Amino acid sequence: MTDRGYLRHIRSCNPPINERFVPWFIENQVVGWLRPWLVEVLQEQVAVFVVSEDRVDLAPALDSFEARSSALAAVVEWLAARELINPPMGEAYPVTPAGRQAALCIMDRSAAAYFGVRAFGQHLNGFVRKADGMYIWLGRRARDRLIYPGRLDNMVAGGLPWDVSLEENLFKECAEEAGLSENVVRQAVPVGLVSYNRVAERGYRPDVLYCYDLELSPGFTPQNTDGEVESFTLLPVAEVARIVRETDEFKLNCNLVIIDFLLRHGYIEPQEDEYLELAIGLRRPLGAGLSVTG
Amino acid sequence: MTDRGYLRHIRSCNPPINERFVPWFIENQVVGWLRPWLVEVLQEQVAVFVVSEDRVDLAPALDSFEARSSALAAVVEWLAARELINPPMGEAYPVTPAGRQAALCIMDRSAAAYFGVRAFGQHLNGFVRKADGMYIWLGRRARDRLIYPGRLDNMVAGGLPWDVSLEENLFKECAEEAGLSENVVRQAVPVGLVSYNRVAERGYRPDVLYCYDLELSPGFTPQNTDGEVESFTLLPVAEVARIVRETDEFKLNCNLVIIDFLLRHGYIEPQEDEYLELAIGLRRPLGAGLSVTG
């Protein structure tokens, strides 16, 4: 296996699953995946979870969004008090069998990672058309960031909490990270998504990144306002593609957003050997690699 | 289940598989899927196929592209002579576990449909930017076509035989179907693909359509030269989207190419309920819904 090329990033984001995860159901739909140790602990929460050999179900008596959310919040506090999971972050994530609009309840972001709940984010490609071709704006992450300090990032990228609309969150992230006005951000085009299933330290992690393209005027320079970005740089598409192929300079999932950009704009062409695997690999079904039995 | 909306077309192209297909291997890689009746018949071809309970393998002694292709050609003649399959069409299709470049041999197009071999095509969206938004050129298929006579089609669409490059085939199809010159076609941008797995009369059918966008000047009008297109019409994107959502006017797989266009250009937005399912559904892994055992 080579350590160059585009495909290795897709494979890194979708590692083979070599351990057991137990599906978690609400109303007979899978909303998450749990490690066996957590399933065992949840057996004590008889009012909230129905635990059997092959699955965990939220108690059917919890039959409303509010009832489910408050029962889960109490379980999260209980787990955190026993130091089995990290303390709540105070940020709500949707718990959903489908898109975020279809959420059946919410759960604290920190706990959601242990419950294998779907996570949603927004990544924006800022680009400029010049006489000699397209250029892409990249951010360099601040050195004091917890995750991937000093690595390259998409111009704007952020997670999506439950209680904010896609538009509001994009406005907020674009203002904080790159100093973009709402008028400019309104020109951003939603262009699809990438999806993948990771196994992180805390658990199974199905991820969806909504992707946006934003054409910027050659005179514009992004300005970070929240300290998360050390600097911005504008590079020709071919150079960005080379960085993705030949280095690990990018935060891992940002590689997929760039590969998607390259595919959509014809910089990766269908006669290339990996084209089919790349195109299908960028849109992995959530829950891929796991199975529901019984 | 509603009979409107975008998702129904993706579901129609990816029906649930309610019958058994047996995987066909070359060099231990799946290249096709066969109905049990064909597996039984192939047991007589002991020099070409090794048939077991759960799988069919091409005989390992056939260890070159040429050897495999000529052995398969002979089997196809034999099957056609017994009237078990349609006669050969004289058009070669790649037999591949991955993209068409990775073909391990070729097989006649007509027979390929019985062997569940991957099929590849090219579909081109011709569009025009006007002051009031984007417009898309659509073709109306000739009334004498065998498949989907009189239905709407993408501006240019065609299957990809083995012995032609993507560029050559696109030039040829664009000239024949829409009167486009090579200079104009060179401006077409490859923008990804859609993939799906159908069950057709002849067998399992994994399909890949490479998609292209071509911006045309408002003064251009396509001219059909091969009699396959009755007429062309230029419609606002919103009207094309409505036709896809509310009617079955389009040839089935063309709906997916339009939905992909709508997603990439921001006409279907991520806050819509079906967004996640649409985006993932347009790129189904080939062989999805089937399983390899043993």
Side-chain angles (χ1 to χ4, degrees):
Chain A
M1 183 70 64
T2 172
D3 60 350
R4 295 200 172 186
Y6 297 118
L7 266 180
R8 67 201 167 100
H9 299 301
I10 291 177
R11 290 179 180 143
S12 296
C13 284
N14 295 277
I17 312 285
N18 298 318
E19 59 180 312
R20 182 163 169 255
F21 287 95
V22 178
W24 169 30
F25 293 77
I26 300 179
E27 288 190 341
N28 217 25
Q29 301 171 89
V30 177
V31 295
W33 298 87
L34 281 60
R35 287 216 166 95
W37 71 262
L38 182 54
V39 175
E40 200 166 318
V41 171
L42 294 181
Q43 286 182 322
E44 296 181 40
Q45 292 283 339
V46 290
V48 183
F49 292 102
V50 181
V51 177
S52 65
E53 181 80 16
D54 291 323
R55 59 190 280 165
V56 173
D57 284 78
L58 200 71
L62 300 167
D63 60 358
S64 73
F65 190 97
E66 292 305 327
R68 293 178 196 126
S69 302
S70 51
L72 286 173
V75 169
V76 166
E77 291 289 351
W78 176 78
L79 288 167
R82 296 180 65 182
E83 295 186 352
L84 293 169
I85 67 172
N86 289 357
M89 297 171 73
E91 193 176 305
Y93 264 30
V95 178
T96 171
R100 66 193 286 273
Q101 292 82 0
L104 299 172
C105 55
I106 54 173
M107 186 173 210
D108 186 78
R109 173 179 180 175
S110 171
Y114 296 92
F115 282 75
V117 159
R118 297 170 173 209
F120 298 85
Q122 290 172 302
H123 284 233
L124 182 138
N125 303 294
F127 71 93
V128 176
R129 289 185 205 272
K130 297 195 188 190
D132 62 342
M134 280 171 95
Y135 286 65
I136 300 181
W137 278 107
L138 304 178
R140 169 86 58 190
R141 296 165 66 84
R143 309 281 157 174
D144 61 0
R145 296 211 66 177
L146 274 177
I147 303 171
Y148 293 100
R151 304 284 273 281
L152 290 174
D153 205 332
N154 302 122
M155 188 170 108
V156 177
L160 257 169
W162 161 248
D163 46 1
V164 60
S165 74
L166 289 167
E167 188 184 46
E168 285 172 286
N169 196 62
L170 194 64
F171 284 159
K172 175 178 162 289
E173 296 285 348
C174 285
E176 290 176 359
E177 294 197 0
L180 288 160
S181 73
E182 293 192 5
N183 269 342
V184 171
V185 178
R186 281 203 186 88
Q187 310 302 314
V189 178
V191 291
L193 56 81
V194 302
S195 55
Y196 52 89
N197 299 283
R198 293 176 61 197
V199 178
E201 204 184 323
R202 297 186 207 169
Y204 187 69
R205 166 90 187 224
D207 252 344
V208 175
L209 307 182
Y210 297 114
C211 300
Y212 298 79
D213 281 0
L214 175 59
E215 182 168 358
L216 294 161
S217 70
F220 173 83
T221 301
Q223 300 285 343
N224 179 252
T225 67
D226 65 359
E228 293 192 358
V229 185
E230 177 184 283
S231 61
F232 287 100
T233 177
L234 183 66
L235 294 177
V237 169
E239 173 61 8
V240 177
R242 188 198 65 77
I243 294 171
V244 171
R245 276 198 316 274
E246 299 186 5
T247 78
D248 293 323
E249 272 293 291
F250 273 101
K251 174 170 174 280
L252 181 58
N253 62 3
C254 298
N255 288 293
L256 273 53
V257 175
I258 299 286
I259 295 167
D260 175 69
F261 184 94
L262 298 172
L263 275 177
R264 286 185 293 101
H265 291 280
Y267 292 97
I268 302 178
E269 297 192 78
Q271 60 270 27
E272 294 181 38
D273 286 342
E274 299 177 336
Y275 196 80
L276 180 63
E277 199 172 347
L278 286 172
I280 292 179
L282 289 174
R283 301 258 182 91
R284 293 290 293 158
L286 300 180
L290 300 179
S291 64
V292 177
T293 59
Chain B
M1 185 70 63
T2 171
D3 60 350
R4 295 199 171 188
Y6 297 118
L7 266 180
R8 67 200 169 102
H9 299 301
I10 291 177
R11 290 178 180 143
S12 296
C13 284
N14 295 278
I17 313 285
N18 298 317
E19 59 179 313
R20 183 164 168 254
F21 288 95
V22 179
W24 169 30
F25 292 77
I26 300 180
E27 288 191 339
N28 218 23
Q29 300 170 91
V30 177
V31 295
W33 298 89
L34 281 61
R35 286 215 166 94
W37 71 261
L38 182 54
V39 175
E40 200 168 317
V41 171
L42 293 181
Q43 285 181 324
E44 297 181 41
Q45 291 284 339
V46 291
V48 183
F49 291 102
V50 180
V51 177
S52 65
E53 181 79 18
D54 290 323
R55 57 190 282 166
V56 172
D57 284 79
L58 200 70
L62 300 167
D63 60 358
S64 73
F65 189 98
E66 292 306 328
R68 294 179 194 124
S69 302
S70 51
L72 287 173
V75 170
V76 167
E77 291 290 352
W78 176 78
L79 288 166
R82 296 179 66 182
E83 295 186 351
L84 293 169
I85 67 173
N86 289 357
M89 297 171 72
E91 194 177 305
Y93 263 30
V95 179
T96 172
R100 64 194 286 272
Q101 294 82 1
L104 298 173
C105 55
I106 53 174
M107 186 172 211
D108 186 79
R109 175 178 178 174
S110 171
Y114 295 92
F115 282 76
V117 159
R118 298 172 173 209
F120 299 85
Q122 291 173 300
H123 284 233
L124 182 138
N125 302 294
F127 71 93
V128 176
R129 288 184 205 273
K130 297 195 188 187
D132 62 342
M134 280 171 95
Y135 285 65
I136 300 180
W137 278 108
L138 304 179
R140 170 84 59 189
R141 298 165 64 85
R143 308 282 158 174
D144 62 359
R145 296 212 66 179
L146 273 178
I147 303 172
Y148 293 99
R151 304 284 273 283
L152 290 174
D153 205 333
N154 301 122
M155 188 170 109
V156 178
L160 257 169
W162 161 248
D163 47 0
V164 60
S165 73
L166 289 168
E167 188 184 46
E168 285 171 286
N169 196 62
L170 194 64
F171 283 159
K172 175 178 163 289
E173 295 286 348
C174 284
E176 289 176 1
E177 294 197 3
L180 288 160
S181 73
E182 293 192 5
N183 269 343
V184 171
V185 178
R186 282 203 185 86
Q187 309 302 314
V189 177
V191 291
L193 56 81
V194 301
S195 55
Y196 52 89
N197 300 283
R198 293 176 60 196
V199 178
E201 202 183 327
R202 298 187 205 169
Y204 187 70
R205 167 90 186 225
D207 252 343
V208 175
L209 308 181
Y210 298 114
C211 300
Y212 299 79
D213 280 0
L214 176 58
E215 181 167 357
L216 294 161
S217 69
F220 173 83
T221 301
Q223 300 285 344
N224 180 251
T225 68
D226 64 359
E228 293 192 0
V229 185
E230 177 184 282
S231 62
F232 287 99
T233 177
L234 184 65
L235 294 177
V237 170
E239 173 61 8
V240 176
R242 188 198 65 77
I243 294 171
V244 171
R245 276 199 314 274
E246 298 185 6
T247 80
D248 294 323
E249 272 292 290
F250 274 102
K251 175 169 174 280
L252 182 58
N253 62 4
C254 298
N255 288 292
L256 273 52
V257 176
I258 300 286
I259 295 167
D260 175 69
F261 184 94
L262 298 172
L263 274 178
R264 286 185 294 99
H265 291 280
Y267 292 96
I268 301 177
E269 298 193 76
Q271 60 270 24
E272 293 179 40
D273 287 343
E274 298 178 335
Y275 197 79
L276 179 62
E277 199 173 347
L278 287 172
I280 292 180
L282 289 174
R283 302 258 182 91
R284 292 290 294 159
L286 300 179
L290 300 179
S291 64
V292 176
T293 59

